[in-house]
Amino acid sequence: MERHIRRAAVIGSGVMGASIAAHLANVGIPCLLLDIVPGQLTEDEKRKGLKLDSKEVRNRLAVNAIKRLKKTKPAPLYDGDLASFITPGNIEDDLGRIKEVDWVVEVIVEKLDIKKQLFKRVEKVWEKGTIVSSNTSGISINAMVDGLSEEFKKHFLGTHFFNPPRYMKLLEIIPGKQTLPEIVDVMNRFCEKKLGKGVVIAKDTPNFIANRIGAYSMHVTLNEMLDKGYTVEEIDACTGPAIGRPKSATFRTLDLVGLDTFVHIANNMYEKVTDEAEKQVFKVPDILQNLVEKGWIGEKAGQGFYKKVKNEKGKKILSLNVQTMEYEPQKKAVGASLEAAKMAKGTKQKLKSLLSLQDRYSELAWNTLKKVLIYSAEKVGEIADSILEIDEAMKWGFNWELGPFETWDAIGLETSVKRMEAEGSSVPQWVKDWIEAGNKSFYKKQEGTTFFVSDGAYKQLEPKPEVISLRTLKEQKKVVKANSGASLIDLGDGIACLEFHSPNNAIGADILMMIEQSMEEVRSNYDGLVIANQGRNFCVGANLMMLLMEAQDEEWDEVEHIIRMFQNTMYHLKQFEKPVIAAPHRMTLGGGVEVCLPADQVVASAETYYGLVEVGVGLIPAGGGCKELICRLSNSVTNPEADIQPYVNKIFETIGMAKVSTSALDAKKLGYLRNNDTVVVHQDHLIYEAKQAALRLVQQEYAPKPKVDIRVVGSEGKALLKLGAYQMRLAGYISDHDQLIANKLAHVLAGGDVPAGTRVSEQYMLDLEREAFLSLCGEPKTQQRMQYMLSKGKPLRN
């Protein structure tokens, strides 16, 4: 019988436990959150006359944890209302309730003896067949259940979430010696498909995969700094984007994680590993120990390797001089290899550029990188079955662009091994055997299929039907049409995908032309169209630089042509006779939203930050954004006597304040997404789900949307909107220019100067949008805002 996880219990309501409960709530899994019973009353509880046996007191830790979820940043919940899925309790009164759930996850203090005591208690009330796991970051899974029944052990495993659980992709599943394979399969499937995680299977070894390799990388980098006298800034310059790692690099990452947490991980490794040379690498350097003793443990203490201080300009970040233990102004690391890496495109080219020039920073990158590569190769078979789990763990858990073995391929496997051996490094025999057998890389691609080394031979990476890779489809020659801004790709089964690939996926004439051409192609040869891409963000809006240049040159005919072209293309997309599905992810702003609005359905990644933000650059939406939200409102209110002004007010506020959703669910609350739009938690599955949505519409014998007139609030409604803007100006909340923009927006959303209740055409509304947009483009203060956004990346208030 197939198992399903429909309810869960989390034991431990600290930051991690509460956040795991929150993510379960995000995906609709009701969750019991348990913690210990407090031993003392708070002053507030005393004032209320509560006793230690009051339920409110006994559940206090879990109750307070749920309250904190709504205030925590970054938000653990997609929407604060989802906290209702979490029920607070305590392990004295409510432990027996775990009989009601399908999965129990322990998230208490990282001490083996305390965990063992808890699992003894859990086993006494445990319902046979219920899955139980520990969210440990490094304690032995087998040791936790030593002495418990064989049946309990069969249903027990490790499930190591990375923090914060909502946002971090990696989840390590660690089976115990007795864990049933079917239990591992159930958790693997559930965590990937329901929780949206990238799952790797790890072995029960100290710190598992990602923390093992990540901690080793941190230590060799620290040791290199101390041995060679590098500064904190120099280390971070060489161990961040220059080698495909996050901007936080080494020391900002340590500050974020917490130096005390890192020392705990390092000590765990030092105690558990048996190889003496490896043990010495994990020995905590004196400097780290000193910082922890001083309480300088990173971001949560306000200082670690970096420290924020206030100055006349606001805030300034100082860096630690590890020689003097004083904080000093940062000194930018400058070198030929760093500059070469900065100029190179793509991680592979950055790595080659950084390592090819023999200078101080090239040497630093090489000396740390080679040790991590060799160490990773030594651990294949010990911490994971193959190189694939190690690479995926580092990419998903530490946000590396390339895993260790992908990095090795990028820098050249043969040449790098020769250099390592020439310098006296000991490369694992299996790597040398692999090269001697005539292989030049750990991975290879053949006709769009990926192979990786496993047990001395290339093994095919089994494709998952839910994961559609546009890059792989392009390698398989599935591109139907393409230009500089976009491509039309055959997804199979009669569905085509329109992919944006301009810089930042910004919309310009090339993308608009490809949308029109794609509709022609789909009209003749396909059943439906998906609009999706796999860039960092779906679309950050229209090409602002091009628009500003035309406005500054007063090429108003050209500006009007661009806007009219955008409007016409979106209108054609809305009236297209085949189903259109939009699949946005991450930043989807301005014109990116306007591309999605005409679609029959939006299938959005849960992590979609969606908003019409044009007022931030002194403009209003003019690609149909204003028109489409008012059109949806008009269509949804069937009673001709109903007052729609309150709903128009809400749209006015949403656009006028440039509100951006914090998730796809929040986008529904803001009115950007409709009830029939769906949310996908696993972003890698997004295009697959969008394709399935298109196929369902095809099977339902899709018919194009009928043209309907739009009911507007007219001049009376406009006056109310303008009054609201006027009051905000009087109160000092907005500037004169903000008020001007708000008045233009009010004119458009109200449908101009017609009587209330008038029905107007979509083209009429588009004309209002375009006229308002053009007039704002000519305003010097709007051009200043556009310029500021392009140069500073944030809005200007003028």
Side-chain angles (χ1 to χ4, degrees):
M1 188 175 72
E2 188 177 355
R3 285 172 170 267
H4 294 283
I5 294 175
R6 296 186 176 91
R7 298 180 63 84
V10 176
I11 303 177
S13 67
V15 171
M16 197 65 182
S19 296
I20 290 172
H23 195 54
L24 288 164
N26 284 337
V27 299
I29 302 289
C31 181
L32 188 64
L33 182 62
L34 307 180
D35 213 315
I36 61 172
V37 174
Q40 291 182 315
L41 293 172
T42 65
E43 291 302 317
D44 185 52
E45 287 167 343
K46 289 176 184 176
R47 282 193 296 272
K48 290 180 179 177
L50 298 173
K51 305 293 183 184
L52 282 174
D53 59 359
S54 301
K55 185 177 181 181
E56 186 178 332
V57 175
R58 294 175 73 80
N59 290 349
R60 182 211 305 156
L61 295 179
V63 168
N64 287 347
I66 295 168
K67 289 178 181 176
R68 284 194 299 271
L69 289 174
K70 298 179 182 181
K71 301 174 184 176
T72 302
K73 300 294 181 185
L77 292 162
Y78 292 153
D79 183 282
D81 291 346
L82 292 170
S84 62
F85 277 83
I86 308 172
T87 302
N90 68 77
I91 58 174
E92 301 298 332
D93 305 328
D94 304 304
L95 193 60
R97 293 187 62 187
I98 66 171
K99 293 179 184 292
E100 304 166 11
V101 308
D102 306 298
W103 174 33
V104 179
V105 56
E106 166 272 311
V107 200
I108 64 171
V109 64
E110 284 284 82
K111 291 186 178 179
L112 178 59
D113 57 339
I114 297 176
K115 288 181 185 289
K116 290 184 74 169
Q117 290 170 23
L118 175 66
F119 286 123
K120 281 182 183 177
R121 294 183 62 183
V122 168
E123 187 184 30
K124 288 177 183 176
V125 294
W126 174 69
E127 185 89 8
K128 182 180 175 181
T130 302
I131 298 169
V132 182
S133 73
S134 171
N135 182 61
T136 179
S137 59
I139 296 176
S140 170
I141 300 303
N142 292 301
M144 284 185 213
V145 290
D146 185 36
L148 300 185
S149 69
E150 292 300 304
E151 194 63 32
F152 189 83
K153 291 176 182 177
K154 288 177 182 178
H155 294 83
F156 184 77
L157 71 167
T159 49
H160 179 208
F161 287 81
F162 273 61
N163 193 29
R166 168 183 165 181
Y167 301 95
M168 292 302 292
K169 185 175 179 178
L170 178 62
L171 189 145
E172 294 175 322
I173 286 181
I174 312 100
K177 290 178 182 176
Q178 279 84 29
T179 309
L180 293 170
E182 55 264 38
I183 297 299
V184 177
D185 290 343
V186 166
M187 290 306 296
N188 192 339
R189 188 167 59 251
F190 171 79
C191 292
E192 180 182 351
K193 293 190 175 181
K194 191 70 175 178
L195 299 184
K197 295 299 168 190
V199 177
V200 297
I201 306 299
K203 293 182 180 290
D204 189 16
T205 56
N207 287 9
F208 314 127
I209 302 175
N211 279 346
R212 182 78 171 262
I213 303 295
Y216 184 88
S217 176
M218 291 280 191
H219 274 281
V220 296
T221 305
L222 266 168
N223 293 337
E224 187 73 11
M225 177 184 77
L226 298 171
D227 289 346
K228 305 288 176 60
Y230 291 101
T231 67
V232 165
E233 299 97 312
E234 287 177 320
I235 293 290
D236 276 358
C238 290
T239 58
I243 59 170
R245 308 276 174 83
K247 289 180 181 178
S248 56
T250 298
F251 293 114
R252 289 188 193 280
T253 298
L254 278 172
D255 278 357
L256 287 166
V257 169
L259 274 58
D260 53 340
T261 302
F262 182 73
V263 166
H264 171 78
I265 292 170
N267 285 334
N268 185 51
M269 288 301 308
Y270 184 80
E271 292 167 10
K272 300 289 174 58
V273 297
T274 54
D275 180 80
E276 194 56 37
E278 184 179 1
K279 186 183 282 286
Q280 288 308 307
V281 172
F282 286 106
K283 186 175 182 181
V284 176
D286 290 342
I287 183 176
L288 268 187
Q289 206 69 57
N290 291 341
L291 288 170
V292 172
E293 288 170 6
K294 285 174 178 283
W296 298 0
I297 56 174
E299 189 110 328
K300 55 192 172 187
Q303 62 190 109
F305 283 99
Y306 292 94
K307 181 181 181 180
K308 284 183 183 177
V309 295
K310 291 183 179 179
N311 63 6
E312 62 279 0
K313 294 183 179 178
K315 288 184 180 179
K316 186 178 183 180
I317 299 177
L318 306 177
S319 62
L320 183 69
N321 181 324
V322 295
Q323 306 300 324
T324 66
M325 296 298 285
E326 299 286 337
Y327 290 98
E328 300 174 350
Q330 293 185 64
K331 296 175 184 174
K332 186 178 179 183
V334 179
S337 61
L338 284 174
E339 287 304 309
K342 192 180 292 184
M343 298 298 292
K345 288 190 175 180
T347 299
K348 292 182 181 180
Q349 290 306 315
K350 285 182 184 295
L351 278 165
K352 287 180 179 178
S353 300
L354 180 62
L355 297 176
S356 62
L357 296 174
Q358 299 302 306
D359 65 8
R360 175 178 173 80
Y361 301 120
S362 181
E363 181 185 356
L364 166 61
W366 170 252
N367 286 344
T368 53
L369 203 55
K370 72 175 179 180
K371 292 173 184 174
V372 174
L373 300 184
I374 290 170
Y375 185 74
S376 299
E378 289 172 347
K379 297 304 160 191
V380 174
E382 179 184 337
I383 64 174
D385 282 333
S386 75
I387 69 168
L388 188 64
E389 284 90 355
I390 293 175
D391 277 351
E392 289 182 334
M394 298 318 297
K395 288 189 292 184
W396 297 340
F398 279 75
N399 291 320
W400 292 7
E401 290 287 334
L402 301 173
F405 298 95
E406 292 171 323
T407 298
W408 216 332
D409 282 354
I411 66 174
L413 179 58
E414 289 179 287
T415 54
S416 62
V417 167
K418 283 180 183 176
R419 182 177 172 184
M420 290 171 185
E421 293 193 302
E423 293 172 354
S425 298
S426 179
V427 177
Q429 189 60 45
W430 77 264
V431 175
K432 294 191 285 187
D433 291 344
W434 181 247
I435 294 171
E436 286 170 12
N439 299 297
K440 299 183 185 300
S441 62
F442 292 117
Y443 292 88
K444 71 172 183 178
K445 280 204 170 182
Q446 197 171 307
E447 297 179 354
T449 301
T450 300
F451 297 83
F452 63 96
V453 58
S454 179
D455 295 326
Y458 275 122
K459 179 181 179 181
Q460 182 178 340
L461 177 61
E462 293 298 329
K464 295 180 179 179
E466 301 91 353
V467 179
I468 294 176
S469 167
L470 296 182
R471 177 182 292 182
T472 298
L473 289 173
K474 286 189 275 189
E475 290 169 356
Q476 294 172 346
K477 314 295 185 191
K478 299 292 186 180
V479 175
V480 181
K481 288 180 176 293
N483 65 18
S484 58
S487 297
L488 186 68
I489 302 166
D490 189 344
L491 295 181
D493 301 314
I495 306 298
C497 177
L498 177 65
E499 176 204 30
F500 300 167
H501 46 66
S502 62
N504 295 317
N505 289 343
I507 298 170
D510 49 1
I511 285 181
L512 296 173
M513 288 172 60
M514 185 51 62
I515 294 174
E516 293 283 6
Q517 291 174 20
S518 295
M519 285 189 280
E520 289 180 25
E521 182 67 30
V522 171
R523 184 178 287 115
S524 301
N525 299 310
Y526 291 88
D527 298 321
L529 176 66
V530 167
I531 302 175
N533 64 71
Q534 291 171 326
R536 178 172 175 77
N537 297 303
F538 176 78
C539 176
V540 297
N543 189 330
L544 192 61
M545 175 64 80
M546 177 191 68
L547 185 62
L548 176 60
M549 290 171 61
E550 298 290 3
Q552 288 176 333
D553 292 342
E554 298 186 358
E555 297 286 351
W556 304 121
D557 287 345
E558 185 59 30
V559 175
E560 181 176 22
H561 171 72
I562 293 167
I563 301 308
R564 194 182 288 273
M565 182 181 182
F566 196 166
Q567 291 182 337
N568 290 343
T569 301
M570 294 307 101
Y571 186 71
H572 295 158
L573 198 61
K574 182 178 180 180
Q575 298 299 326
F576 189 48
E577 59 267 32
K578 302 285 180 77
V580 176
I581 308 294
H585 66 276
R586 291 184 62 84
M587 300 303 291
T588 304
L589 305 175
V593 173
E594 290 178 307
V595 167
C596 298
L597 289 173
D600 298 288
Q601 187 179 346
V602 173
V603 177
S605 165
E607 299 299 341
T608 299
Y609 317 122
Y610 203 78
L612 293 168
V613 296
E614 286 83 352
V615 296
V617 289
L619 298 167
I620 68 161
C626 297
K627 177 268 295 183
E628 197 57 39
L629 291 187
I630 295 297
C631 184
R632 288 181 181 181
L633 168 60
S634 175
N635 291 342
S636 67
V637 180
T638 54
N639 181 359
E641 303 301 319
D643 182 11
I644 63 171
Q645 184 70 48
Y647 305 101
V648 176
N649 295 350
K650 184 181 177 184
I651 293 171
F652 179 66
E653 180 184 313
T654 300
I655 298 176
M657 296 182 71
K659 290 186 178 181
V660 177
S661 72
T662 55
S663 67
L665 286 181
D666 188 45
K668 286 196 173 191
K669 266 195 167 181
L670 290 173
Y672 289 131
L673 295 181
R674 301 155 295 191
N675 289 334
N676 73 313
D677 293 330
T678 58
V679 178
V680 176
V681 180
H682 201 310
Q683 191 170 303
D684 292 352
H685 298 179
L686 187 62
I687 295 179
Y688 170 84
E689 295 296 345
K691 176 183 173 183
Q692 298 310 305
L695 289 171
R696 283 192 291 272
L697 289 179
V698 172
Q699 290 163 4
Q700 293 165 13
E701 297 184 358
Y702 173 82
K705 293 179 283 293
K707 295 180 182 180
V708 292
D709 286 337
I710 302 168
R711 179 184 163 199
V712 295
V713 293
S715 55
E716 293 177 23
K718 181 173 88 168
L720 287 171
L721 298 177
K722 290 177 70 174
L723 177 61
Y726 174 71
Q727 290 172 336
M728 289 189 75
R729 179 68 192 100
L730 281 183
Y733 291 120
I734 62 174
S735 67
D736 287 337
H737 193 55
D738 290 326
Q739 187 180 2
L740 173 66
I741 299 164
N743 289 342
K744 298 279 187 184
L745 179 62
H747 182 73
V748 174
L749 294 177
D753 294 317
V754 296
T758 301
R759 289 193 168 271
V760 299
S761 68
E762 290 191 55
Q763 187 58 56
Y764 170 85
M765 291 291 287
L766 289 173
D767 291 342
L768 291 180
E769 277 188 2
R770 192 174 63 257
E771 289 162 10
F773 188 93
L774 282 165
S775 67
L776 287 169
C777 279
E779 292 286 337
K781 287 190 175 182
T782 284
Q783 293 181 17
Q784 289 171 14
R785 290 189 179 194
M786 294 164 74
Q787 183 72 57
Y788 194 84
M789 177 62 75
L790 288 167
S791 61
K792 305 288 186 180
K794 55 185 179 181
L796 171 69
R797 294 298 302 276
N798 59 351

